[in-house]
Amino acid sequence: MIRVHRGPEPAELVKVRITQLKALRDIVRREKRDPLSDEIDGYRIVAKTLWKAQLHKCCYCEKLIEHVRNDVEHYRPKAQANRGEHHLADHGYWWLAFTWENLLFSCENCNQGKAKGIKFPLSEGGAPLVAEQQPSRGERPLLLDPAVECGVEHIQFQIDPLTKKWKPFARKGSAKGYATIRTCLLDRDDLLDLYTKHVNGEVRPEVDQVEAALAQKDVVKIDSAVRRANQKLLRPSKPFVGLSYDALQHFVQSSDMLFWGCAWHSTA
Ligand SMILES: [Zn+2]
């Protein structure tokens, strides 16, 4: 999971937000209840913009999605939220349903069903936002926000000693890494197969090139092989960049001495 960059807010979202929020506020005032999921609509107009901005990848699992989905992921769930064992409040964040900074593009396996759905875990002691409140540090979300944080710093891929498949773990015990893996099911079976296939088919050939250059102690060839691996595996548009980074570190003997591109840290 690497950092994503949305770019500027599309003008059409501003228009939708004005009309839709007015309708939702009318419901709250008139019926003294929060809006229901199917009453919160209109945000899907930015699905394609987000898909392109995120370089056609799911913001959580980094799988390439070849066709735009007509759906949008709400980082803070729109109608109802399960904040974990320390929090009873289950209201959603309807007033942020049209807020650009709350919208992401994700695959359906990460954001629906048993995966993220309405889950939005908070730290013990975090204070859930109340209606109309803007995000604040006091809420203390445990789910990594891909537009703000770099998942590579919190999630580490390693070979599971039992299954021999590549699998994500919390890096250095990161609570956010652990919660994000659990929330989006980043260790689900279908992904473990894809991770392992990616390492064997895409990463290993690059590792072989780098290792061959290292064995020859040829500085020019080493530089060229590392450049090639960075281009092929670690550009933000490539699938599973976080996984590739850890696999390169794992396989290449002198990894500490080499530069593995950190393009996902860019703030551009
Ligand atoms: Zn996904």
Side-chain angles (χ1 to χ4, degrees):
M1 185 174 157
I2 60 171
R3 189 147 170 224
V4 302
H5 302 280
R6 292 187 190 87
E9 177 181 44
E12 66 262 32
L13 184 64
V14 179
K15 288 184 197 158
V16 166
R17 183 166 60 241
I18 291 168
T19 53
Q20 295 295 318
L21 275 186
K22 183 179 180 309
L24 298 184
R25 283 171 180 143
D26 284 347
I27 290 172
V28 172
R29 192 167 46 241
R30 203 174 52 238
E31 304 188 23
K32 309 261 184 290
R33 64 168 177 85
D34 281 355
L36 304 172
S37 181
D38 57 7
E39 292 170 331
I40 304 170
D41 205 4
Y43 50 81
R44 290 182 182 85
I45 52 162
V46 295
K48 194 169 186 179
T49 306
L50 286 167
W51 175 62
K52 285 183 177 176
Q54 290 179 204
L55 310 171
H56 314 128
K57 286 165 55 174
C58 170
C59 64
Y60 296 122
C61 73
E62 283 202 78
K63 196 164 57 179
L64 273 177
I65 314 290
E66 291 184 357
H67 302 286
V68 64
R69 294 177 62 224
N70 185 28
D71 203 1
V72 163
E73 151 71 0
H74 289 86
Y75 172 69
R76 284 179 169 82
K78 62 184 188 295
Q80 204 185 357
N82 176 351
R83 296 177 173 84
E85 56 179 323
H86 302 295
H87 297 274
L88 292 175
D90 67 351
H91 61 276
Y93 300 84
W94 56 267
W95 64 98
L96 299 174
F98 314 94
T99 296
W100 186 227
E101 289 74 20
N102 193 41
L103 305 181
L104 293 159
F105 182 82
S106 84
C107 74
E108 59 184 341
N109 290 334
C110 282
N111 92 331
Q112 292 177 4
K114 289 180 182 169
K116 182 166 177 275
I118 63 165
K119 286 186 253 173
F120 189 62
L122 302 183
S123 299
E124 188 177 3
L129 303 184
V130 295
E132 307 280 5
Q133 188 182 0
Q134 292 304 304
S136 74
R137 282 190 182 179
E139 189 172 37
R140 297 170 61 190
L142 283 170
L143 178 69
L144 289 164
D145 182 345
V148 175
E149 297 156 294
C150 179
V152 177
E153 292 167 8
H154 298 269
I155 294 172
Q156 179 174 23
F157 288 85
Q158 295 175 323
I159 300 172
D160 184 322
L162 291 176
T163 64
K164 308 295 180 206
K165 290 182 180 178
W166 281 82
K167 187 175 174 180
F169 296 89
R171 194 184 294 277
K172 297 177 184 166
S174 165
K176 285 188 162 189
Y178 180 81
T180 302
I181 294 165
R182 293 276 82 76
T183 301
C184 300
L185 302 183
L186 298 180
D187 56 357
R188 58 186 186 262
D189 280 345
D190 64 321
L191 278 179
L192 299 190
D193 286 344
L194 289 180
Y195 296 152
T196 305
K197 186 178 167 201
H198 175 79
V199 171
N200 292 338
E202 307 296 326
V203 181
R204 288 304 293 255
E206 300 307 316
V207 169
D208 291 344
Q209 297 273 346
V210 175
E211 288 290 10
L214 284 167
Q216 293 174 42
K217 295 188 170 60
D218 183 323
V219 178
V220 175
K221 282 188 181 169
I222 294 169
D223 184 56
S224 159
V226 169
R227 261 175 216 268
R228 196 186 119 115
N230 281 330
Q231 281 284 320
K232 216 173 158 200
L233 301 171
L234 300 180
R235 275 161 55 203
S237 59
K238 299 294 181 182
F240 307 128
V241 169
L243 166 66
S244 294
Y245 175 76
D246 286 322
L248 286 166
Q249 296 272 0
H250 173 84
F251 287 122
V252 178
Q253 298 292 323
S254 310
S255 250
D256 294 351
M257 319 270 289
L258 305 173
F259 174 77
W260 299 121
C262 295
W264 56 82
H265 287 303
S266 85
T267 52

Tab-separated table of all heavy atoms in Angstrom, residues 58 60-63 106-107 109-110 188, ligand 1:
chain	number	residue	atom	x	y	z
A	58	CYS	N	-6.180	-0.157	-6.916
A	58	CYS	CA	-6.922	-0.115	-5.647
A	58	CYS	C	-6.035	0.568	-4.605
A	58	CYS	O	-4.858	0.235	-4.466
A	58	CYS	CB	-7.274	-1.535	-5.211
A	58	CYS	SG	-7.937	-1.614	-3.535
A	60	TYR	N	-5.983	0.270	-1.489
A	60	TYR	CA	-5.599	-0.552	-0.344
A	60	TYR	C	-4.686	-1.717	-0.742
A	60	TYR	O	-3.616	-1.890	-0.184
A	60	TYR	CB	-6.848	-1.097	0.365
A	60	TYR	CG	-7.715	-0.033	0.978
A	60	TYR	CD1	-9.054	0.110	0.609
A	60	TYR	CD2	-7.202	0.847	1.933
A	60	TYR	CE1	-9.859	1.094	1.174
A	60	TYR	CE2	-8.003	1.841	2.505
A	60	TYR	CZ	-9.333	1.948	2.117
A	60	TYR	OH	-10.119	2.929	2.671
A	61	CYS	N	-5.110	-2.535	-1.714
A	61	CYS	CA	-4.327	-3.744	-2.029
A	61	CYS	C	-3.348	-3.530	-3.184
A	61	CYS	O	-2.518	-4.402	-3.445
A	61	CYS	CB	-5.246	-4.929	-2.315
A	61	CYS	SG	-6.113	-4.838	-3.903
A	62	GLU	N	-3.455	-2.409	-3.898
A	62	GLU	CA	-2.551	-2.088	-5.013
A	62	GLU	C	-2.720	-3.005	-6.221
A	62	GLU	O	-1.806	-3.155	-7.025
A	62	GLU	CB	-1.083	-2.115	-4.576
A	62	GLU	CG	-0.631	-0.918	-3.806
A	62	GLU	CD	0.883	-0.784	-3.911
A	62	GLU	OE1	1.365	-0.321	-4.936
A	62	GLU	OE2	1.566	-1.181	-2.955
A	63	LYS	N	-3.872	-3.650	-6.303
A	63	LYS	CA	-4.149	-4.458	-7.495
A	63	LYS	C	-4.527	-3.518	-8.632
A	63	LYS	O	-5.207	-2.523	-8.409
A	63	LYS	CB	-5.319	-5.391	-7.164
A	63	LYS	CG	-5.514	-6.543	-8.089
A	63	LYS	CD	-6.422	-7.587	-7.458
A	63	LYS	CE	-7.775	-7.028	-7.056
A	63	LYS	NZ	-8.665	-8.034	-6.470
A	106	SER	N	-11.234	1.999	-4.771
A	106	SER	CA	-10.710	0.709	-4.291
A	106	SER	C	-11.399	-0.427	-5.031
A	106	SER	O	-12.447	-0.233	-5.649
A	106	SER	CB	-10.914	0.552	-2.784
A	106	SER	OG	-12.197	0.062	-2.512
A	107	CYS	N	-10.810	-1.620	-4.961
A	107	CYS	CA	-11.451	-2.783	-5.583
A	107	CYS	C	-12.606	-3.230	-4.692
A	107	CYS	O	-12.639	-2.925	-3.503
A	107	CYS	CB	-10.439	-3.905	-5.808
A	107	CYS	SG	-9.939	-4.800	-4.319
A	109	ASN	N	-13.275	-6.136	-3.605
A	109	ASN	CA	-12.883	-7.113	-2.586
A	109	ASN	C	-12.277	-6.444	-1.359
A	109	ASN	O	-12.231	-7.046	-0.292
A	109	ASN	CB	-11.886	-8.129	-3.162
A	109	ASN	CG	-12.556	-9.053	-4.150
A	109	ASN	OD1	-13.757	-9.290	-4.078
A	109	ASN	ND2	-11.791	-9.548	-5.108
A	110	CYS	N	-11.785	-5.237	-1.495
A	110	CYS	CA	-11.260	-4.509	-0.331
A	110	CYS	C	-12.343	-3.702	0.362
A	110	CYS	O	-12.301	-3.521	1.564
A	110	CYS	CB	-10.121	-3.565	-0.735
A	110	CYS	SG	-8.549	-4.397	-0.995
A	188	ARG	N	-6.190	-11.898	2.561
A	188	ARG	CA	-7.171	-12.887	2.103
A	188	ARG	C	-6.538	-13.812	1.055
A	188	ARG	O	-5.550	-13.434	0.391
A	188	ARG	CB	-8.427	-12.198	1.550
A	188	ARG	CG	-8.192	-11.237	0.414
A	188	ARG	CD	-9.478	-10.493	0.034
A	188	ARG	NE	-9.297	-9.675	-1.141
A	188	ARG	CZ	-9.058	-8.363	-1.113
A	188	ARG	NH1	-8.980	-7.722	0.036
A	188	ARG	NH2	-8.908	-7.680	-2.241
B	1	ZN	ZN	-8.145	-3.866	-3.239
